[in-house]
């Protein structure tokens, strides 16, 4: 059996979640915007319950949460939606990091073409952006800081909770791409972060559903301008018919994950320990600060081995990746590892393993490691 070790890209939909999604597709299939019959009322109620439970998980109010297709769309609404306010008030400076997902970096590139100054911090070998490195770059015209919660390639956790507390004392808004950390580390995201983007499909929900939290500062809302118009749904920030089955599935996935979260983290850590112990038969390097990483993602570089060639050798044992699923087709060196100071050859040679514990148990660990050791002994880059 081939084990699935690419959970940072997506996860299998939990059967309990799939049951809920199917129910709202074929049984109670109403439009949440329909107000004249029971099907619409029922759909509206399940959306309201989902919004309330997810907002509570994030330490926020239900009316501070809008549903989107996922973190990429949420990132775009947050970054591009804040731009008109910055332009109007002469605040065109944005601070971010060079290790962000392309769903943040590419909108920032667009803002640069509109005259914004984007200051990208390189974290160095740790892969972790120090709070002070952000604060020392703040200026009177700094509109926004955008920093991811958990890096999707290295699993390094960024100090977003501490940074949120510090930025709350300033007029600068703070956006966090929480695609990898959502549900897994809720305490960090309950800090006073202004804007939080997340997806559901990293934690057992279907693809195509996520959200954007827009946390108030007192009574003041984050001054976002919508990117699309038509219908006025989701506080006019994200118009269109709500995908009720996906919204219900997202809430169910969060409920399921929260119930097992402590056990899940412990089992993920246990597998990590067994994996790294087994890999001691090979020559590898761990990328990123291992004192600040999630238990279910590792970034590895194997000495003398081409990562793409190794993946082909491993395909009978496990599904693994070189990095982000959104950019892996390009076969270019990882911008994350490059920003951490790795030479181009090494930055292009990282291997990411990520797992849900239940699926990781399906791995023939000895066979998996034997393939790596044998391939390493006989291969040269």
């Amino acid at each position: 059996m081939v084990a699935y070790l690419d959970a940072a890209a997506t996860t299998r939909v939990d059967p309990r979640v799939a049951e809920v999604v199917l129910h709202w597709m074929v049984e109670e299939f109403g439009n949440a915007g329909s107000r004249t019959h029971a099907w619409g009322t029922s759909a509206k109620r399940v959306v309201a319950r989902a919004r309330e439970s997810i907002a509570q998980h994030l330490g926020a109010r239900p009316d501070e949460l809008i549903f989107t297709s996922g973190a990429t769309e949420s990132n775009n609404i947050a970054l591009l939606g804040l731009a008109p306010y910055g332009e109007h008030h002469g605040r065109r400076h944005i601070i971010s990091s060079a290790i962000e997902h392309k769903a943040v970096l590419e909108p920032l590139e667009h803002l640069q073409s509109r005259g914004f100054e984007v200051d990208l911090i390189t974290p160095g070998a740790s892969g972790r952006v120090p709070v002070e490195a952000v604060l020392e770059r703040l200026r009177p015209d700094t509109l926004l800081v955008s920093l991811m919660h958990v890096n999707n390639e290295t699993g390094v956790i960024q100090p977003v909770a501490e940074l949120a507390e510090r930025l709350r004392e300033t007029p600068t808004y703070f956006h966090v791409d929480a695609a990898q950390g959502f549900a897994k580390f809720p305490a960090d995201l309950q800090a006073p972060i202004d804007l939080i983007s997340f997806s559901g499909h990293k934690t057992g929900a279907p693809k195509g559903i996520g959200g954007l939290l827009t946390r108030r500062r007192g009574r003041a809302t984050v001054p976002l301008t919508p990117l699309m118009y038509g219908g006025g749904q989701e506080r006019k920030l994200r118009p269109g018919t709500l995908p009720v089955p996906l919204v219900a599935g997202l809430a169910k996935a969060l409920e399921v994950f929260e119930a097992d979260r402590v056990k899940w983290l412990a089992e993920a850590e246990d597998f990590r320990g067994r994996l790294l112990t087994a890999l001691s038969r090979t020559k590898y390097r761990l990328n990123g600060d291992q004192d600040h990483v999630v238990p279910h993602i590792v970034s590895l570089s194997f000495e003398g081995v081409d990562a793409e060639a190794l993946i082909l050798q491993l395909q009978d044992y496990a599904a693994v990746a070189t990095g982000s699923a959104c950019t892996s087709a390009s076969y270019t060196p990882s911008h994350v590892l490059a920003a951490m100071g790795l030479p181009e050859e090494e930055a292009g040679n990282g291997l990411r393993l990520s797992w849900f514990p239940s699926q990781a148990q399906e791995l023939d660990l000895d066979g998996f490691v034997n393939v790596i050791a044998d391939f390493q002994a006989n291969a040269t880059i």
Side-chain angles (χ1 to χ4, degrees):
M1 178 180 291
V2 178
Y4 184 75
L5 298 183
D6 199 19
T10 195
T11 61
R12 179 169 52 198
V13 174
D14 187 283
R16 292 162 289 185
V17 174
E19 183 179 350
V20 168
V21 172
L22 185 62
H23 171 83
W24 289 98
M25 283 183 169
V26 302
E27 300 294 336
E28 298 187 73
F29 52 83
N31 187 325
S34 299
R35 301 175 180 273
T36 58
H37 50 68
W39 282 274
T41 300
S42 182
K44 183 178 180 180
R45 284 174 179 166
V46 76
V47 168
R49 289 197 298 270
R51 198 185 308 274
E52 183 175 1
S53 64
I54 296 168
Q56 184 178 21
H57 172 79
L58 294 169
R61 296 167 38 138
D63 62 357
E64 294 175 318
L65 175 67
I66 67 169
F67 291 112
T68 70
S69 62
T72 293
E73 182 184 2
S74 297
N75 290 337
N76 276 265
I77 294 172
L79 300 173
L80 303 183
L82 195 56
Y85 176 84
E87 291 168 331
H88 180 74
H89 291 275
R91 294 171 58 188
R92 294 173 178 262
H93 180 234
I94 297 173
I95 301 169
S96 188
S97 83
I99 60 170
E100 299 300 307
H101 192 279
K102 293 295 186 179
V104 167
L105 292 177
E106 291 186 8
L108 291 180
E109 288 177 6
H110 173 73
L111 290 178
Q112 282 182 304
S113 74
R114 289 169 52 175
F116 282 80
E117 180 185 348
V118 178
D119 190 351
L120 296 180
I121 300 171
T122 54
S126 72
R128 198 164 194 257
V129 177
V131 170
E132 293 303 323
V134 176
L135 298 179
E136 68 187 15
R137 287 169 169 78
L138 288 179
R139 304 183 333 204
D141 65 336
T142 303
L143 172 66
L144 176 73
V145 171
S146 182
L147 187 66
M148 66 191 342
H149 182 201
V150 174
N151 187 267
N152 54 293
E153 292 192 27
T154 65
V156 172
I157 304 169
Q158 305 299 327
V160 295
E162 181 184 353
L163 185 55
E165 296 290 349
R166 302 288 293 275
L167 289 175
R168 205 65 170 181
E169 303 168 0
T170 77
T172 298
Y173 293 103
F174 185 29
H175 167 251
V176 170
D177 178 352
Q180 294 295 339
F182 175 69
K184 302 177 182 76
F185 307 97
D188 285 350
L189 301 181
Q190 291 171 5
I193 301 166
D194 299 295
L195 296 158
I196 300 175
S197 304
F198 63 91
S199 294
H201 68 101
K202 314 292 186 181
T203 48
K207 301 171 189 67
I209 187 66
L212 175 65
L213 185 73
T214 60
R215 203 187 306 270
R216 290 188 179 90
R217 291 192 176 194
R219 294 186 177 182
T221 59
V222 181
L224 296 176
T225 298
L227 306 185
M228 299 187 297
Y229 298 87
Q233 295 93 337
E234 297 304 274
R235 294 183 15 235
K236 299 184 178 180
L237 284 175
R238 205 273 183 171
T241 300
L242 278 170
V244 176
L246 299 184
V247 170
L250 175 62
K252 182 63 177 180
L254 180 58
E255 174 191 322
V256 168
F257 194 88
E258 281 191 310
D260 295 333
R261 186 171 64 87
V262 174
K263 179 183 177 184
W264 186 95
L265 291 170
E267 291 180 348
E269 185 67 52
D270 176 72
F271 178 78
R272 181 191 187 92
R274 291 190 291 110
L275 172 67
L276 295 182
T277 297
L279 285 172
S280 63
R281 304 201 305 269
T282 71
K283 296 178 181 179
Y284 73 90
R285 183 188 63 254
L286 285 169
N287 299 314
D289 182 351
Q290 298 304 297
D291 290 331
H292 297 93
V293 290
V294 294
H296 65 291
I297 300 175
V298 293
S299 173
L300 303 153
S301 294
F302 290 97
E303 182 180 319
V305 172
D306 177 77
E308 295 290 343
L310 178 57
I311 287 174
L312 292 176
Q313 296 296 315
L314 292 172
Q315 61 186 350
D316 291 336
Y317 288 88
V320 299
T322 54
S324 170
C326 299
T327 56
S328 60
S330 63
Y331 298 109
T332 56
S334 163
H335 73 279
V336 172
L337 299 183
M340 291 166 57
L342 274 68
E344 182 176 346
E345 184 177 273
E346 294 182 25
N349 204 40
L351 194 70
R352 181 185 70 184
L353 308 180
S354 54
W355 55 87
F356 254 41
S358 58
Q359 293 166 307
Q361 303 310 321
E362 299 169 355
L363 177 67
D364 174 0
L365 189 53
D366 286 337
F368 178 79
V369 174
N370 285 339
V371 169
I372 298 173
D374 291 344
F375 189 69
Q376 192 172 49
N378 297 296
T380 57
I381 294 179

